[in-house]
PDB file of all heavy atoms in Angstrom:
ATOM      1  N   ARG A  30       5.549  69.293  77.029  1.00 97.00           N
ATOM      2  CA  ARG A  30       4.844  69.412  78.253  1.00 97.00           C
ATOM      3  C   ARG A  30       3.537  70.110  78.099  1.00 97.00           C
ATOM      4  O   ARG A  30       2.508  69.838  78.770  1.00 97.00           O
ATOM      5  CB  ARG A  30       5.759  70.307  79.320  1.00 97.00           C
ATOM      6  CG  ARG A  30       6.969  69.523  79.814  1.00 97.00           C
ATOM      7  CD  ARG A  30       7.702  70.387  80.771  1.00 97.00           C
ATOM      8  NE  ARG A  30       9.008  69.823  81.150  1.00 97.00           N
ATOM      9  CZ  ARG A  30      10.082  70.362  80.610  1.00 97.00           C
ATOM     10  NH1 ARG A  30      10.109  71.487  80.003  1.00 97.00           N
ATOM     11  NH2 ARG A  30      11.240  69.762  80.837  1.00 97.00           N
ATOM     12  N   ARG A  31       3.463  71.226  77.304  1.00 97.00           N
ATOM     13  CA  ARG A  31       2.192  72.012  77.232  1.00 97.00           C
ATOM     14  C   ARG A  31       1.407  71.507  76.111  1.00 97.00           C
ATOM     15  O   ARG A  31       0.137  71.824  76.107  1.00 97.00           O
ATOM     16  CB  ARG A  31       2.656  73.398  76.824  1.00 97.00           C
ATOM     17  CG  ARG A  31       3.399  74.175  77.891  1.00 97.00           C
ATOM     18  CD  ARG A  31       3.658  75.527  77.524  1.00 97.00           C
ATOM     19  NE  ARG A  31       4.580  76.152  78.398  1.00 97.00           N
ATOM     20  CZ  ARG A  31       4.934  77.469  78.294  1.00 97.00           C
ATOM     21  NH1 ARG A  31       4.593  78.226  77.281  1.00 97.00           N
ATOM     22  NH2 ARG A  31       5.799  78.005  79.085  1.00 97.00           N
ATOM     23  N   GLY A  32       1.954  70.717  75.159  1.00 97.00           N
ATOM     24  CA  GLY A  32       1.148  70.241  74.066  1.00 97.00           C
ATOM     25  C   GLY A  32       0.868  71.165  72.951  1.00 97.00           C
ATOM     26  O   GLY A  32      -0.034  71.072  72.172  1.00 97.00           O
ATOM     27  N   CYS A  33       1.772  72.254  72.853  1.00 97.00           N
ATOM     28  CA  CYS A  33       1.695  73.234  71.801  1.00 97.00           C
ATOM     29  C   CYS A  33       3.122  73.842  71.559  1.00 97.00           C
ATOM     30  O   CYS A  33       4.003  73.645  72.387  1.00 97.00           O
ATOM     31  CB  CYS A  33       0.735  74.371  72.252  1.00 97.00           C
ATOM     32  SG  CYS A  33       1.155  75.373  73.676  1.00 97.00           S
ATOM     33  N   ALA A  34       3.319  74.526  70.488  1.00 96.00           N
ATOM     34  CA  ALA A  34       4.617  75.008  70.126  1.00 96.00           C
ATOM     35  C   ALA A  34       4.991  76.099  71.200  1.00 96.00           C
ATOM     36  O   ALA A  34       4.120  77.014  71.719  1.00 96.00           O
ATOM     37  CB  ALA A  34       4.634  75.632  68.718  1.00 96.00           C
ATOM     38  N   VAL A  35       6.243  76.223  71.503  1.00 97.00           N
ATOM     39  CA  VAL A  35       6.778  77.192  72.464  1.00 97.00           C
ATOM     40  C   VAL A  35       7.944  77.943  71.753  1.00 97.00           C
ATOM     41  O   VAL A  35       8.809  77.289  71.283  1.00 97.00           O
ATOM     42  CB  VAL A  35       7.142  76.584  73.729  1.00 97.00           C
ATOM     43  CG1 VAL A  35       7.676  77.573  74.746  1.00 97.00           C
ATOM     44  CG2 VAL A  35       6.030  75.880  74.399  1.00 97.00           C
ATOM     45  N   GLY A  36       7.982  79.201  71.943  1.00 96.00           N
ATOM     46  CA  GLY A  36       9.090  80.039  71.363  1.00 96.00           C
ATOM     47  C   GLY A  36      10.285  80.119  72.198  1.00 96.00           C
ATOM     48  O   GLY A  36      10.256  79.890  73.449  1.00 96.00           O
ATOM     49  N   GLU A  37      11.477  80.586  71.624  1.00 96.00           N
ATOM     50  CA  GLU A  37      12.633  80.705  72.399  1.00 96.00           C
ATOM     51  C   GLU A  37      12.565  81.752  73.303  1.00 96.00           C
ATOM     52  O   GLU A  37      13.364  81.885  74.290  1.00 96.00           O
ATOM     53  CB  GLU A  37      13.812  80.808  71.464  1.00 96.00           C
ATOM     54  CG  GLU A  37      13.854  82.071  70.727  1.00 96.00           C
ATOM     55  CD  GLU A  37      14.970  82.280  69.707  1.00 96.00           C
ATOM     56  OE1 GLU A  37      15.443  81.189  69.258  1.00 96.00           O
ATOM     57  OE2 GLU A  37      15.480  83.435  69.409  1.00 96.00           O
ATOM     58  N   ASP A  38      11.704  82.781  73.219  1.00 96.00           N
ATOM     59  CA  ASP A  38      11.566  83.969  74.104  1.00 96.00           C
ATOM     60  C   ASP A  38      10.615  83.553  75.317  1.00 96.00           C
ATOM     61  O   ASP A  38      10.342  84.421  76.226  1.00 96.00           O
ATOM     62  CB  ASP A  38      11.109  85.085  73.407  1.00 96.00           C
ATOM     63  CG  ASP A  38       9.767  84.946  72.720  1.00 96.00           C
ATOM     64  OD1 ASP A  38       9.288  83.738  72.573  1.00 96.00           O
ATOM     65  OD2 ASP A  38       9.186  85.948  72.418  1.00 96.00           O
ATOM     66  N   ASP A  39      10.045  82.270  75.440  1.00 97.00           N
ATOM     67  CA  ASP A  39       9.298  81.905  76.457  1.00 97.00           C
ATOM     68  C   ASP A  39       9.997  81.977  77.733  1.00 97.00           C
ATOM     69  O   ASP A  39      11.089  81.409  77.773  1.00 97.00           O
ATOM     70  CB  ASP A  39       8.662  80.540  76.235  1.00 97.00           C
ATOM     71  CG  ASP A  39       7.712  80.078  77.261  1.00 97.00           C
ATOM     72  OD1 ASP A  39       6.528  80.338  77.270  1.00 97.00           O
ATOM     73  OD2 ASP A  39       8.192  79.429  78.287  1.00 97.00           O
ATOM     74  N   PRO A  40       9.427  82.474  78.758  1.00 97.00           N
ATOM     75  CA  PRO A  40      10.212  82.635  80.113  1.00 97.00           C
ATOM     76  C   PRO A  40      10.641  81.238  80.657  1.00 97.00           C
ATOM     77  O   PRO A  40      11.738  81.075  81.256  1.00 97.00           O
ATOM     78  CB  PRO A  40       9.148  83.228  81.078  1.00 97.00           C
ATOM     79  CG  PRO A  40       8.235  83.947  80.261  1.00 97.00           C
ATOM     80  CD  PRO A  40       8.224  83.321  78.987  1.00 97.00           C
ATOM     81  N   VAL A  41       9.837  80.252  80.525  1.00 97.00           N
ATOM     82  CA  VAL A  41      10.151  78.904  80.967  1.00 97.00           C
ATOM     83  C   VAL A  41      11.396  78.405  80.217  1.00 97.00           C
ATOM     84  O   VAL A  41      12.327  77.720  80.756  1.00 97.00           O
ATOM     85  CB  VAL A  41       9.031  78.023  81.057  1.00 97.00           C
ATOM     86  CG1 VAL A  41       9.336  76.568  81.271  1.00 97.00           C
ATOM     87  CG2 VAL A  41       7.918  78.433  81.965  1.00 97.00           C
ATOM     88  N   VAL A  42      11.281  78.581  79.041  1.00 98.00           N
ATOM     89  CA  VAL A  42      12.369  78.075  78.030  1.00 98.00           C
ATOM     90  C   VAL A  42      13.725  78.838  78.391  1.00 98.00           C
ATOM     91  O   VAL A  42      14.743  78.172  78.637  1.00 98.00           O
ATOM     92  CB  VAL A  42      12.009  78.310  76.422  1.00 98.00           C
ATOM     93  CG1 VAL A  42      13.306  77.884  75.663  1.00 98.00           C
ATOM     94  CG2 VAL A  42      10.861  77.433  76.116  1.00 98.00           C
ATOM     95  N   ARG A  43      13.643  80.047  78.536  1.00 97.00           N
ATOM     96  CA  ARG A  43      14.893  80.801  78.950  1.00 97.00           C
ATOM     97  C   ARG A  43      15.394  80.332  80.346  1.00 97.00           C
ATOM     98  O   ARG A  43      16.535  80.210  80.339  1.00 97.00           O
ATOM     99  CB  ARG A  43      14.516  82.335  79.034  1.00 97.00           C
ATOM    100  CG  ARG A  43      14.214  82.956  77.654  1.00 97.00           C
ATOM    101  CD  ARG A  43      14.164  84.514  77.776  1.00 97.00           C
ATOM    102  NE  ARG A  43      13.990  85.042  76.491  1.00 97.00           N
ATOM    103  CZ  ARG A  43      14.140  86.356  76.256  1.00 97.00           C
ATOM    104  NH1 ARG A  43      14.379  87.204  77.257  1.00 97.00           N
ATOM    105  NH2 ARG A  43      13.929  86.841  75.019  1.00 97.00           N
ATOM    106  N   GLU A  44      14.573  80.154  81.280  1.00 97.00           N
ATOM    107  CA  GLU A  44      15.048  79.678  82.576  1.00 97.00           C
ATOM    108  C   GLU A  44      15.666  78.371  82.418  1.00 97.00           C
ATOM    109  O   GLU A  44      16.764  78.179  83.008  1.00 97.00           O
ATOM    110  CB  GLU A  44      13.827  79.660  83.581  1.00 97.00           C
ATOM    111  CG  GLU A  44      14.114  79.051  84.930  1.00 97.00           C
ATOM    112  CD  GLU A  44      15.206  80.016  85.670  1.00 97.00           C
ATOM    113  OE1 GLU A  44      15.239  81.205  85.435  1.00 97.00           O
ATOM    114  OE2 GLU A  44      15.848  79.468  86.612  1.00 97.00           O
ATOM    115  N   ASN A  45      15.043  77.511  81.659  1.00 96.00           N
ATOM    116  CA  ASN A  45      15.574  76.120  81.426  1.00 96.00           C
ATOM    117  C   ASN A  45      16.884  76.163  80.612  1.00 96.00           C
ATOM    118  O   ASN A  45      17.873  75.496  81.139  1.00 96.00           O
ATOM    119  CB  ASN A  45      14.597  75.152  80.799  1.00 96.00           C
ATOM    120  CG  ASN A  45      13.379  74.853  81.703  1.00 96.00           C
ATOM    121  OD1 ASN A  45      13.492  74.978  82.857  1.00 96.00           O
ATOM    122  ND2 ASN A  45      12.373  74.445  81.067  1.00 96.00           N
ATOM    123  N   VAL A  46      17.003  77.006  79.719  1.00 96.00           N
ATOM    124  CA  VAL A  46      18.296  77.079  78.992  1.00 96.00           C
ATOM    125  C   VAL A  46      19.386  77.742  79.967  1.00 96.00           C
ATOM    126  O   VAL A  46      20.509  77.171  79.996  1.00 96.00           O
ATOM    127  CB  VAL A  46      18.122  78.055  77.809  1.00 96.00           C
ATOM    128  CG1 VAL A  46      19.564  78.449  77.159  1.00 96.00           C
ATOM    129  CG2 VAL A  46      17.265  77.419  76.769  1.00 96.00           C
ATOM    130  N   CYS A  47      19.139  78.634  80.714  1.00 95.00           N
ATOM    131  CA  CYS A  47      20.018  79.211  81.716  1.00 95.00           C
ATOM    132  C   CYS A  47      20.487  78.137  82.611  1.00 95.00           C
ATOM    133  O   CYS A  47      21.600  77.990  83.014  1.00 95.00           O
ATOM    134  CB  CYS A  47      19.514  80.394  82.399  1.00 95.00           C
ATOM    135  SG  CYS A  47      19.277  81.936  81.441  1.00 95.00           S
ATOM    136  N   GLN A  48      19.564  77.273  83.187  1.00 95.00           N
ATOM    137  CA  GLN A  48      19.960  76.216  84.140  1.00 95.00           C
ATOM    138  C   GLN A  48      20.809  75.198  83.328  1.00 95.00           C
ATOM    139  O   GLN A  48      21.905  74.763  83.967  1.00 95.00           O
ATOM    140  CB  GLN A  48      18.624  75.593  84.561  1.00 95.00           C
ATOM    141  CG  GLN A  48      17.815  76.468  85.527  1.00 95.00           C
ATOM    142  CD  GLN A  48      18.613  76.819  86.706  1.00 95.00           C
ATOM    143  OE1 GLN A  48      19.324  76.153  87.314  1.00 95.00           O
ATOM    144  NE2 GLN A  48      18.473  78.141  87.178  1.00 95.00           N
ATOM    145  N   VAL A  49      20.601  74.849  82.059  1.00 94.00           N
ATOM    146  CA  VAL A  49      21.432  73.940  81.460  1.00 94.00           C
ATOM    147  C   VAL A  49      22.878  74.427  81.251  1.00 94.00           C
ATOM    148  O   VAL A  49      23.814  73.824  81.482  1.00 94.00           O
ATOM    149  CB  VAL A  49      20.803  73.564  80.123  1.00 94.00           C
ATOM    150  CG1 VAL A  49      21.869  72.671  79.221  1.00 94.00           C
ATOM    151  CG2 VAL A  49      19.451  72.709  80.321  1.00 94.00           C
ATOM    152  N   ILE A  50      22.843  75.741  80.869  1.00 92.00           N
ATOM    153  CA  ILE A  50      24.170  76.389  80.535  1.00 92.00           C
ATOM    154  C   ILE A  50      24.997  76.496  81.955  1.00 92.00           C
ATOM    155  O   ILE A  50      26.129  76.245  81.908  1.00 92.00           O
ATOM    156  CB  ILE A  50      24.045  77.807  80.028  1.00 92.00           C
ATOM    157  CG1 ILE A  50      23.395  77.756  78.520  1.00 92.00           C
ATOM    158  CG2 ILE A  50      25.282  78.582  79.966  1.00 92.00           C
ATOM    159  CD1 ILE A  50      24.189  77.015  77.569  1.00 92.00           C
ATOM    160  N   LEU A  51      24.351  76.788  82.927  1.00 92.00           N
ATOM    161  CA  LEU A  51      24.990  76.843  84.210  1.00 92.00           C
ATOM    162  C   LEU A  51      25.482  75.502  84.606  1.00 92.00           C
ATOM    163  O   LEU A  51      26.583  75.438  85.356  1.00 92.00           O
ATOM    164  CB  LEU A  51      24.019  77.477  85.443  1.00 92.00           C
ATOM    165  CG  LEU A  51      23.709  78.890  85.374  1.00 92.00           C
ATOM    166  CD1 LEU A  51      22.653  79.254  86.367  1.00 92.00           C
ATOM    167  CD2 LEU A  51      25.013  79.731  85.686  1.00 92.00           C
TER     168      LEU A  51
END
Side-chain angles (χ1 to χ4, degrees):
R30 287 184 195 106
R31 295 184 194 179
C33 62
V35 178
E37 64 183 33
D38 59 341
D39 182 86
V41 174
V42 171
R43 285 185 180 197
E44 176 66 24
N45 291 343
V46 168
C47 289
Q48 292 301 320
V49 170
I50 296 298
L51 286 171

